[in-house]
Amino acid sequence: MPTAQSILTHSPDLAVIEAVTTPVESEVVVVGIAADAASGNGGGAAKAAPVVVAPGLDGDSTAALADLAHSVGASTKVGSTTRVPAPEGVPGRSVVLVGLGSSDDEVGDETLRRAAGAAARACRGLGAALVLLDVERAEAVALGAALGSFRPAKVTAKDDGDDEKADSVKVLVAEGGADAVTRAATIAECVGLARDLVNTPPNLLFPGSFADRAAELAADAGLEVEVLDESALAEGGFGGILAVGGGSSRGPRLVRLTHRGAEGRPTVALVGKGVTFDTGGISIKPAAGMEQMTMDMGGAAAVVATVILAARLELDLTVVATVPMAENMPSSTAYRPGDVLTMYGGTTVEVQNTDAEGRLILADAIVRACEDSPSHLIDTATLTGAQMVALGKKTPGVMGTEDFRDRVAELSRGVGEGGWPMPLPEELRDGLDSEVADLTNVTPHRWGGMLSAGLFLKEFVAEGVEWVHIDVAGPAYNDGGAEGYLPKGGTGVPVRTMLAVLEDIAAP
């Protein structure tokens, strides 16, 4: 585990993921179990021997595992795990039985990811694991296992990592499946990076250190890097970022990272909210739960991870990430309710609530991003509590240009991140009118808060740019227990959604 001095340079703590085409001897073997629908055995605790999913094992071994699962009452609920001794013929000392639901149900990619993630977490510290779930869908299995093996970085003076066996996971694949496993490992590393950034304490991750870390990671990936400090932001007229960051002794930044595709290929802009800690400013938040506001840069973390992932996967398009970073603090230099800000590009905004700060820094960044003439722009942010009220803690709200919005939401659901398309009703736009400026940063009522924030951002998107806004206020951070491949803390949502969109745009 990293110390306080090293946490910012910590690499995601993930299992080493490898592909094998034949079962190999391991400390622990992972197999799937499903309720036998033909026996009327529902999806709960097994009442009859479950169906065992264990490609690569012979019939006798599979039958022995079914009997063993039955005898211990192993649950077939998706993601449930039961560890048992390995029967004869199974190449390991123990077996983790992971639930796949009912044998009557189709086992989709997301079920495989969740099951593999839960199993990998159950295998932590046990040494080498062999996963036997689906040889034809190696990427889903490997990605779930890699994401599920993630361990959050911990600030500690102790070095107790050597007390546990190093995790390694071998995934059984069909011939030619090794590339899919390699790709899955790369994706998992970048999702893990986003998780690590979100989990880093705010006294260690503040705008300056976040910008330095992002620049270092981007340079290592071969990206072009530009960092604007307070002086450059003031010279450029970035009124939103300067206002939000003005109350902190740790000044704001704007980071721009560019992955270049071939000439003539599409340009896609990514923008992510990077509020490294949000007190609410003068409109201060309640104390209860404020410690979770260390995650208010989840959108920025995801965008940094995604542009690095685009470079590592060598996507043939240009991706430009524009990432505003600020700490929203109350002080004698903080911006106030009633202030009028001149945003980058000239639009004026009346501040009615300093806790609606994310949209202010995003607005500056969106205008700057549009100067690169992108065909598409994706912004993402832990923006509104209204997202959780409307959709819960696991479903991102997707707003924007209708066709692009619907496609992004569809791709998000396909990768298991669950994006859902939401409207931008015209009648809510009137609430953003101001008597003293072009706009206000909040409406005078509490209705449709997520949608009103989207309408505010829409005002800053250039004509002709296909745009979506992804609100991940809930999905970017799991304040409950780990489940499936999601850990407690930072989740890395929506990195995989944005990757799917970039690959969709880049496709012929």
Side-chain angles (χ1 to χ4, degrees):
M1 292 293 184
T3 64
Q5 289 73 32
S6 66
I7 190 169
L8 273 178
T9 57
H10 174 252
S11 296
D13 196 349
L14 302 167
V16 177
I17 307 292
E18 301 176 83
V20 294
T21 54
T22 57
V24 295
E25 196 70 28
S26 303
E27 292 289 324
V28 59
V29 177
V30 174
V31 304
I33 54 172
D36 187 351
S39 71
N41 168 38
K47 296 178 182 178
V51 175
V52 173
V53 178
L57 297 186
D58 59 31
D60 290 342
S61 299
T62 301
L65 285 168
D67 289 342
L68 192 55
H70 182 213
S71 68
V72 300
S75 173
T76 57
K77 181 181 178 181
V78 176
S80 294
T81 59
T82 307
R83 187 179 171 206
V84 296
E88 188 174 351
V90 175
R93 299 178 62 183
S94 65
V95 174
V96 168
L97 307 167
V98 61
L100 296 174
S102 171
S103 64
D104 202 32
D105 298 331
E106 180 180 353
V107 178
D109 285 355
E110 180 62 5
T111 296
L112 285 174
R113 286 189 288 261
R114 288 169 58 195
R121 190 167 54 253
C123 291
R124 284 181 188 166
L126 299 179
L130 172 66
V131 179
L132 309 176
L133 285 178
D134 190 317
V135 297
E136 299 297 335
R137 289 183 286 173
E139 183 175 328
V141 174
L143 181 57
L147 292 174
S149 72
F150 174 83
R151 303 185 210 217
K154 183 176 181 180
V155 183
T156 177
K158 301 177 182 178
D159 184 9
D160 55 3
D162 293 337
D163 294 339
E164 294 182 335
K165 298 179 181 178
D167 290 333
S168 67
V169 175
K170 292 181 171 58
V171 176
L172 188 69
V173 303
E175 291 290 343
D179 287 347
V181 173
T182 299
R183 170 184 158 86
T186 301
I187 295 171
E189 286 176 21
C190 290
V191 173
L193 166 63
R195 291 173 174 179
D196 265 347
L197 290 170
V198 169
N199 292 335
T200 303
N203 61 317
L204 301 179
L205 190 79
F206 46 90
S209 65
F210 189 7
D212 290 345
R213 180 62 171 147
E216 178 186 19
L217 290 164
D220 288 346
L223 302 178
E224 300 170 20
V225 177
E226 178 187 15
V227 178
L228 304 185
D229 62 10
E230 303 100 305
S231 297
L233 290 168
E235 185 176 344
F238 290 87
I241 300 172
L242 288 166
V244 173
S248 174
S249 61
R250 304 188 288 194
R253 299 287 187 272
L254 182 68
V255 176
R256 286 176 41 85
L257 311 174
T258 303
H259 162 67
R260 294 282 178 196
E263 187 175 349
R265 298 293 292 152
T267 294
V268 179
L270 304 180
V271 175
K273 172 187 172 183
V275 175
T276 58
F277 192 80
D278 183 19
T279 66
I282 298 297
S283 308
I284 197 162
K285 294 177 180 292
M290 194 192 292
E291 72 281 354
Q292 291 188 8
M293 287 301 99
T294 182
M295 49 72 71
D296 212 17
M297 34 61 66
V303 163
V304 169
T306 301
V307 69
I308 290 171
L309 184 53
R312 292 191 59 183
L313 294 178
E314 299 180 344
L315 300 190
D316 190 14
L317 77 171
T318 293
V319 182
V320 185
T322 303
V323 188
M325 301 172 178
E327 186 175 52
N328 190 23
M329 301 288 285
S331 75
S332 63
T333 59
Y335 74 130
R336 297 155 293 257
D339 283 359
V340 173
L341 311 179
T342 300
M343 312 296 286
Y344 184 74
T347 299
T348 57
V349 175
E350 177 191 358
V351 177
Q352 294 191 356
N353 188 324
T354 65
D355 195 23
E357 84 298 330
R359 65 199 70 183
L360 297 175
I361 69 171
L362 287 173
D364 275 359
I366 286 170
V367 175
R368 176 62 188 89
C370 287
E371 292 179 345
D372 299 317
S373 300
S375 59
H376 300 76
L377 188 152
I378 305 169
D379 81 75
T380 186
T382 51
L383 203 63
T384 65
Q387 176 273 317
M388 291 180 277
V389 173
L391 295 172
K393 290 188 174 183
K394 295 183 179 178
T395 302
V398 183
M399 292 145 274
T401 311
E402 288 190 6
D403 289 344
F404 188 40
R405 172 202 67 190
D406 292 347
R407 181 60 176 151
V408 170
E410 180 184 10
L411 290 167
S412 180
R413 293 192 299 275
V415 299
E417 291 189 335
W420 198 256
M422 299 296 288
L424 293 175
E426 288 184 17
E427 66 270 17
L428 291 178
R429 170 59 186 81
D430 292 343
L432 295 172
D433 288 335
S434 167
E435 295 183 0
V436 297
D438 297 320
L439 297 167
T440 68
N441 72 329
V442 293
T443 58
H445 54 75
R446 60 191 290 261
W447 314 118
M450 172 176 62
L451 313 181
S452 296
L455 285 164
F456 179 89
L457 296 176
K458 181 182 177 182
E459 295 290 321
F460 298 89
V461 180
E463 187 88 21
V465 176
E466 297 290 313
W467 161 71
V468 293
H469 161 58
I470 308 175
D471 193 331
V472 290
Y477 191 82
N478 176 21
D479 59 3
E483 58 178 291
Y485 54 79
L486 292 179
K488 185 175 182 178
T491 64
V493 176
V495 170
R496 293 185 297 121
T497 293
M498 291 190 287
L499 171 62
V501 175
L502 293 177
E503 292 187 320
D504 188 60
I505 294 170

